[in-house]
């Protein structure tokens, strides 16, 4: 009877004993979870850094747009008819051609055609 | 392990399990408290720490001429402000700021000594000012992003464009009239910050999407410059008070130039008198003098009362209507209708008006657009003054026939003459040809719009021939003749109302010349008005040369070929006037 009990107890202990494969399974699960955590964290960090890069690039873009606008304004200021004609007459010694200074060789476009050929008439797109 | 040990072990395990369960329970309760009970408050607190709001000011739309050159534009600028409580030495700081920014040091010191946290030092700095101030790195001084309105052409078409105030609102001209179109939107946007307060928002701070719409005008910057230069010379040469010059395409009603003198620079409008700001070509009516005779002649021809060869007794220079005696500059006996226009006979015009009657005259003048606004879209437009014919006396009818007792704006007058040039069809004056969104796409386009047929093609043709004789057949406008072109025109000299409002001044005149060319296919109609010229005051002397200058240079610029045989073909230099394809 006692031997049967001891045998039964041994059998129970044998059943409770952890099989040698199971710890690896747990380790694998933990490893996968940890890997996921690291990948997720890494991705988040990359995303954040990319976000900062975009913000920096946008700031540079904004500055460049502003600078381009300043240059455009400066260019238009420098190319105003008033300034150009001023330089032509005062610095370069040029003068406006009179009627007797012009010979018409070809077919003129005419005002209608000249004005119709303006960018606006051709449906130019406004660049704000 | 003995049974007793096992029992003890299990008890200890139970205690540990119980402790862990309690711990877990506490965590669950806390989690429920955080996630459910206090979630709203905590979310708000987190949001406050990591998010914020900024107000984006959308840029004001641009104003372009017909060649897409900027007439008005906005650029980023910096405004400088101060926190007086952080400024260490108000006297020293105010001196430095005053020197760098051109301000009053005493006033600045007073402002910087106040017990407040915010004081504007200067708004909308020029880039050089901002850079020099930034290098100084003064404590308590900081910069705010702002926008500045810039007019690259300076005084080019300044009265037409107008200007904006420091707050970016339009105050004059098209800037005022199209303020709602041009104004950018103010947007309150949410920004994300990190723990260090760095901004973390993508794509939100590019303010282009909040920009206002842009205007494209019919004005041509080069023709505007030509008109402004010629007008300036004419006003200075004739020692006049002021002047106006308008250029229009008769076939479409497009205004190519609207020049004023004295000019002003809208970038610094405060340095100029208010008188210079106004677009007087649409706001200030004046008596048109003899230029009105072409409309009287058109009315007479259109209603079949006379032909160009009908003759009128011009009373040898003096004609009495009631208690008033009308005089001509030179005495004439009998003149044809054509000669009345050619020599600008006041008595002849009165006689024509008597023939056609006040009702027909009123109808004709109204049809040409006098007495009502053109609706060009400029602020403060005047419709001029044309009283109902029922109130006209015989003196009024006669006076109106030669341009007294009626007032018109420069735009109305040019528009009326353009109708004759356009074979009798009155076009609505056009200044803004389109409104474009900040994406470059058109929001609205304005096409040339005929108002009505005023006179028949035949009548218009006869009036044109009469106007041609004014310039070419020793008429009053020979100073406007351009070799190689058939120029039609009419001179006008109007006495101004006396300063005391009683009658007309004997010393103040307005000299005018209005015309178009070429005869067969009028490309441009031009009006020049010279106010109070001295010593000469005749339109044919003071305004016609400016007309000639504008016409000549504009035709060179537009490549308009001569339409008649040229008389002076000497000393010709070669210039190229070829089509684009031939270049």
């Amino acid at each position: 009877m006692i031997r049967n009990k001891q045998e039964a107890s041994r059998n129970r202990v044998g059943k409770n004993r952890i099989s040698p494969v199971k710890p690896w399974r747990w380790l694998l699960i933990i490893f996968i979870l940890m890997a996921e955590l690291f990948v997720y964290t890494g991705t988040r960090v990359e995303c954040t850094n990319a976000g900062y890069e975009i913000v920096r690039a946008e700031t540079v873009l904004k500055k460049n747009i502003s600078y381009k606008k300043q240059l455009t304004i400066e260019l238009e200021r420098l190319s105003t008819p008033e300034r150009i004609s001023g330089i032509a007459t005062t610095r370069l010694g040029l003068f406006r051609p009179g009627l007797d200074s012009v010979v018409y060789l070809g077919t003129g476009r005419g005002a209608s055609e000249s004005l119709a050929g303006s960018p606006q008439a051709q449906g130019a797109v406004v660049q704000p | 392990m003995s049974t007793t040990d096992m029992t003890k072990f299990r008890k200890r395990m139970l205690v540990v399990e119980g402790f862990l369960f309690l711990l877990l329970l506490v965590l669950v309760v806390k989690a429920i408290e955080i996630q459910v009970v206090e979630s709203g408050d905590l979310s708000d607190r987190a949001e406050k720490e990591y998010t914020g709001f900024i107000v984006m000011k959308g840029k004001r739309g641009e104003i372009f001429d017909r060649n897409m050159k900027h007439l008005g534009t906005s650029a980023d600028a910096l405004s400088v402000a101060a926190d007086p409580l952080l400024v260490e030495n108000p006297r020293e700081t105010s001196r430095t700021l005053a020197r760098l920014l051109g301000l009053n040091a005493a006033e600045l010191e007073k402002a910087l000594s106040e017990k407040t946290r915010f004081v504007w030092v200067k708004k909308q700095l020029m880039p050089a000012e901002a850079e020099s101030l930034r290098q100084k790195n003064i404590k308590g001084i900081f910069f705010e992003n702002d926008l500045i309105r810039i007019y690259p052409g300076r005084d080019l078409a300044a009265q037409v464009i107008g200007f904006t105030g420091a707050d970016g609102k339009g105050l004059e001209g098209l800037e005022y009239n199209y303020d709602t179109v041009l104004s950018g939107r103010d947007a309150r946007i949410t920004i994300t910050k990190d723990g260090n307060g760095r901004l973390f928002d993508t794509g939100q701070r590019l303010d282009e999407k909040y920009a206002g719409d842009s205007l494209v005008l019919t004005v041509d910057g080069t023709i505007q410059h030509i008109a402004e230069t010629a007008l300036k010379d004419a006003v200075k040469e004739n020692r006049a008070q002021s002047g106006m010059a308008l250029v229009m395409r008769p076939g479409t009603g497009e205004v190519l130039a609207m020049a004023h003198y004295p000019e002003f620079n809208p970038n610094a409008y405060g340095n100029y008198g208010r008188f210079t700001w106004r677009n007087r070509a649409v706001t200030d009516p004046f008596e048109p003098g003899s230029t009105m005779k072409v409309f009287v002649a058109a009315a007479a021809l259109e209603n079949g009362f006379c032909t160009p060869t009908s003759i009128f007794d011009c009373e040898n220079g003096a004609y009495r209507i009631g208690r008033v005696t009308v005089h001509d500059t030179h005495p004439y006996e009998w003149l044809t209708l054509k000669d009345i226009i050619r020599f600008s006979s006041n008595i002849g015009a009165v006689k024509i008006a008597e023939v056609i009657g006040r009702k027909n005259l009123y109808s004709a003048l109204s049809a040409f657009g006098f007495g009502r606004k053109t609706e060009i879209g400029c602020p403060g437009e005047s419709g001029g003054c044309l009283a109902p014919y029922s109130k006209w006396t015989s003196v009024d009818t006669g006076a109106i026939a030669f341009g007294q007792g009626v007032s018109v704006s420069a735009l109305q007058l040019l528009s009326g003459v353009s109708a004759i040039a356009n074979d009798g069809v009155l076009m609505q004056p056009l200044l803004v040809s389109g409104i474009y969104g900040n994406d470059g796409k058109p929001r609205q386009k304005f096409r040339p719009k005929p108002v009505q047929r005023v006179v028949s093609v035949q009548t218009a043709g006869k009036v044109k021939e009469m106007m041609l004789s004014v310039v070419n057949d020793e008429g009053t406008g020979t100073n406007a003749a351009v070799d190689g072109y058939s120029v039609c025109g009419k001179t006008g000299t109007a006495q101004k109302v006396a300063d005391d409002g009683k009658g007309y001044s004997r010393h103040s005149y307005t000299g005018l010349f209005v015309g178009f060319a070429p005869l067969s296919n009028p490309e441009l109609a031009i009006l020049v008005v010279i106010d109070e010229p001295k010593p000469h005051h005749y339109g044919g002397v003071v305004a016609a040369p400016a007309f000639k200058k504008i016409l000549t240079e504009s035709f060179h610029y537009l490549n308009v070929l001569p339409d008649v045989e040229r008389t002076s073909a000497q000393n010709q230099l070669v210039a190229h006037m070829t089509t684009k394809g031939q270049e």
Side-chain angles (χ1 to χ4, degrees), chain B residues 223 226-227 244-250 413-414 417-418 488-490 513-517 523-529 543 546-555:
Chain B
I223 296 179
I226 290 168
M244 293 182 276
L246 279 73
V247 183
M248 182 183 270
R249 287 183 73 194
L413 183 57
L414 185 61
V417 169
S418 293
C488 307
K490 182 71 192 82
F513 191 90
V514 62
F516 51 85
E523 299 277 14
L524 298 179
I526 300 169
L527 166 68
V528 178
V529 182
F547 171 94
K548 179 181 177 176
K549 207 184 239 180
I550 295 169
L551 188 77
T552 308
E553 291 186 18
S554 298
F555 276 7

Side-chain angles (χ1 to χ4, degrees), chain B residues 28-226:
Chain B
V28 168
V29 169
K30 192 65 188 171
I32 289 169
E33 188 188 355
I34 289 170
Q35 293 292 334
V36 180
V37 182
E38 294 180 355
S39 74
D41 289 345
L42 291 172
S43 298
D44 287 348
R45 277 171 60 188
E47 205 171 297
K48 275 178 191 168
E49 281 183 28
Y50 293 106
T51 61
F53 297 98
I54 56 170
V55 176
M56 295 289 299
K57 280 172 74 176
K59 270 185 190 163
R60 194 172 174 82
E62 324 260 332
I63 301 178
F64 297 96
D65 82 343
R66 65 182 304 117
N67 299 312
M68 309 309 289
K69 298 273 185 194
H70 282 98
L71 294 174
T73 185
S74 295
D76 291 321
L78 289 173
S79 290
V80 63
D83 181 346
L85 298 182
L86 293 178
V87 174
E88 287 172 346
N89 186 343
R91 172 164 290 186
E92 188 61 32
T93 305
S94 58
R95 278 181 186 168
T96 309
L97 290 172
R99 184 166 43 81
L100 293 174
L101 307 177
L103 301 170
N104 185 309
E107 286 178 13
L108 206 55
E109 188 184 342
K110 195 180 165 190
L112 295 182
S113 305
E114 287 176 12
K115 301 290 176 202
T116 178
R117 299 303 306 261
F118 186 89
V119 172
W120 279 118
V121 176
K122 189 178 180 182
K123 296 195 89 176
Q124 299 170 343
L125 303 187
M126 298 306 286
E129 288 178 329
E131 191 52 40
S132 58
L133 186 57
R134 201 189 285 278
Q135 283 173 0
K136 292 282 176 189
N137 198 19
I138 303 169
K139 197 177 176 189
I141 300 296
F142 53 93
F143 295 94
E144 291 272 317
N145 287 326
D146 206 345
L147 293 168
I148 188 169
R149 194 69 169 163
I150 296 172
Y151 304 94
R154 292 161 57 90
D155 47 11
L156 194 75
Q159 285 85 354
V160 179
I161 303 161
F163 52 83
T164 61
D167 59 353
K169 296 280 177 198
L171 296 181
E172 269 288 350
L174 295 174
E175 291 275 26
Y176 172 78
N177 223 39
Y178 287 86
D179 191 51
T180 49
V181 172
L182 291 164
S183 292
R185 287 185 294 124
D186 282 355
R188 189 168 182 264
I189 60 168
T190 309
I191 50 160
T192 312
K193 293 180 284 186
D194 65 6
N196 294 325
R198 287 181 297 179
L199 287 179
F200 187 79
D201 57 326
T202 56
Q204 289 201 72
R205 290 188 301 136
L206 297 174
D207 50 8
E208 272 69 25
K209 55 186 170 184
Y210 306 113
D213 293 341
S214 298
L215 298 181
V216 179
L217 308 188
T218 58
V219 169
D220 187 305
T222 304
I223 296 179
Q224 178 74 29
H225 170 68
I226 290 168

Side-chain angles (χ1 to χ4, degrees), chain A residues 52 58 76 99 104 114 120, chain B residues 70 194 203 433 558 566 577:
Chain A
Y52 284 127
E58 276 181 355
E76 296 212 350
L99 279 171
Y104 296 89
S114 298
Q120 173 221 346
Chain B
H70 282 98
D194 65 6
S433 66
L558 295 171
R566 295 175 63 177
M577 298 207 77

Side-chain angles (χ1 to χ4, degrees), chain B residues 146-383:
Chain B
D146 206 345
L147 293 168
I148 188 169
R149 194 69 169 163
I150 296 172
Y151 304 94
R154 292 161 57 90
D155 47 11
L156 194 75
Q159 285 85 354
V160 179
I161 303 161
F163 52 83
T164 61
D167 59 353
K169 296 280 177 198
L171 296 181
E172 269 288 350
L174 295 174
E175 291 275 26
Y176 172 78
N177 223 39
Y178 287 86
D179 191 51
T180 49
V181 172
L182 291 164
S183 292
R185 287 185 294 124
D186 282 355
R188 189 168 182 264
I189 60 168
T190 309
I191 50 160
T192 312
K193 293 180 284 186
D194 65 6
N196 294 325
R198 287 181 297 179
L199 287 179
F200 187 79
D201 57 326
T202 56
Q204 289 201 72
R205 290 188 301 136
L206 297 174
D207 50 8
E208 272 69 25
K209 55 186 170 184
Y210 306 113
D213 293 341
S214 298
L215 298 181
V216 179
L217 308 188
T218 58
V219 169
D220 187 305
T222 304
I223 296 179
Q224 178 74 29
H225 170 68
I226 290 168
E228 285 181 2
T229 308
L231 179 69
K232 186 178 180 178
D233 293 346
V235 170
K236 285 187 171 175
E237 280 166 18
N238 294 291
R239 289 185 282 140
Q241 291 288 318
S242 62
M244 293 182 276
L246 279 73
V247 183
M248 182 183 270
R249 287 183 73 194
T252 59
E254 289 170 286
V255 176
L256 299 180
M258 206 179 251
H260 296 77
Y261 188 85
E263 71 244 328
F264 85 99
N265 181 355
N267 294 305
Y269 61 89
N271 298 342
Y272 299 82
R274 283 174 180 269
F275 166 75
T276 61
W277 298 350
R278 214 167 52 237
N279 185 354
R280 301 193 304 280
V282 296
T283 59
D284 290 16
F286 56 88
E287 293 195 344
S290 296
T291 53
M292 193 52 74
K293 288 170 189 164
V294 292
F295 305 108
V296 177
L301 292 168
E302 183 69 7
N303 289 296
F305 288 106
C306 43
T307 66
T309 53
S310 300
I311 56 170
F312 294 85
D313 180 7
C314 291
E315 309 284 348
N316 215 11
Y319 178 56
R320 196 167 181 82
I321 324 170
R323 287 181 296 176
V324 178
T325 304
V326 179
H327 295 277
D328 273 338
T329 311
H330 301 289
Y332 300 103
E333 291 184 343
W334 291 88
L335 289 177
T336 62
L337 176 60
K338 185 177 178 181
D339 285 340
I340 287 171
I341 299 298
R342 183 157 70 111
F343 298 125
S344 199
S345 166
N346 292 338
I347 297 169
V350 173
K351 291 285 183 80
I352 300 168
E354 285 175 349
V355 169
I356 61 178
R358 56 184 183 173
K359 187 178 177 183
N360 286 326
L361 182 58
Y362 176 83
S363 301
L365 296 181
S366 297
F368 275 105
F370 299 119
R372 67 167 188 272
K373 293 179 182 177
T374 63
E375 306 297 344
I376 194 173
C378 293
E381 186 183 3
S382 166

Side-chain angles (χ1 to χ4, degrees), chain A residues 9 12 16 44 46-63 65-67 69-70 72-86 95-128, chain B residues 56 62 64 66-70 73-76 127 150 152-155 194 198-208 214 216-218 220-223 225 229 249 256 433 436-441 445 482-483 485 523 552-553 556 558-562 566 568 570-580 582:
Chain A
S9 173
R12 265 205 309 271
N16 285 343
R44 289 286 300 168
E46 277 302 307
C47 276
T48 310
N49 284 337
Y52 284 127
E53 284 296 318
I54 291 168
V55 170
R56 265 196 291 275
E58 276 181 355
T59 307
V60 172
L61 174 66
K62 205 176 171 202
K63 272 186 187 169
I65 289 171
S66 179
Y67 186 55
K69 188 64 184 285
Q70 281 179 18
T72 307
I73 293 168
E74 186 65 8
L75 176 69
E76 296 212 350
R77 193 186 64 76
L78 293 172
S79 60
T80 51
E82 186 183 6
R83 185 175 170 277
I84 298 295
S85 61
F95 59 91
R96 291 180 185 280
L99 279 171
D100 56 352
S101 307
V102 178
V103 176
Y104 296 89
L105 299 174
T107 312
R109 287 199 294 163
S112 307
E113 222 176 311
S114 298
L115 293 168
S118 65
Q120 173 221 346
Q122 290 170 350
V125 174
V126 175
Q127 295 290 341
Chain B
M56 295 289 299
E62 324 260 332
F64 297 96
R66 65 182 304 117
N67 299 312
M68 309 309 289
K69 298 273 185 194
H70 282 98
T73 185
S74 295
D76 291 321
I150 296 172
R154 292 161 57 90
D155 47 11
D194 65 6
R198 287 181 297 179
L199 287 179
F200 187 79
D201 57 326
T202 56
Q204 289 201 72
R205 290 188 301 136
L206 297 174
D207 50 8
E208 272 69 25
S214 298
V216 179
L217 308 188
T218 58
D220 187 305
T222 304
I223 296 179
H225 170 68
T229 308
R249 287 183 73 194
L256 299 180
S433 66
Y436 291 77
N438 54 48
D439 52 1
K441 290 178 183 166
K445 282 191 171 183
V482 180
D483 192 17
Y485 296 93
E523 299 277 14
T552 308
E553 291 186 18
H556 284 172
L558 295 171
N559 291 356
V560 178
L561 286 182
R566 295 175 63 177
S568 62
Q570 298 170 353
N571 304 322
Q572 290 182 343
L573 301 172
V574 174
H576 296 282
M577 298 207 77
T578 55
T579 58
K580 258 192 172 175
Q582 290 170 321

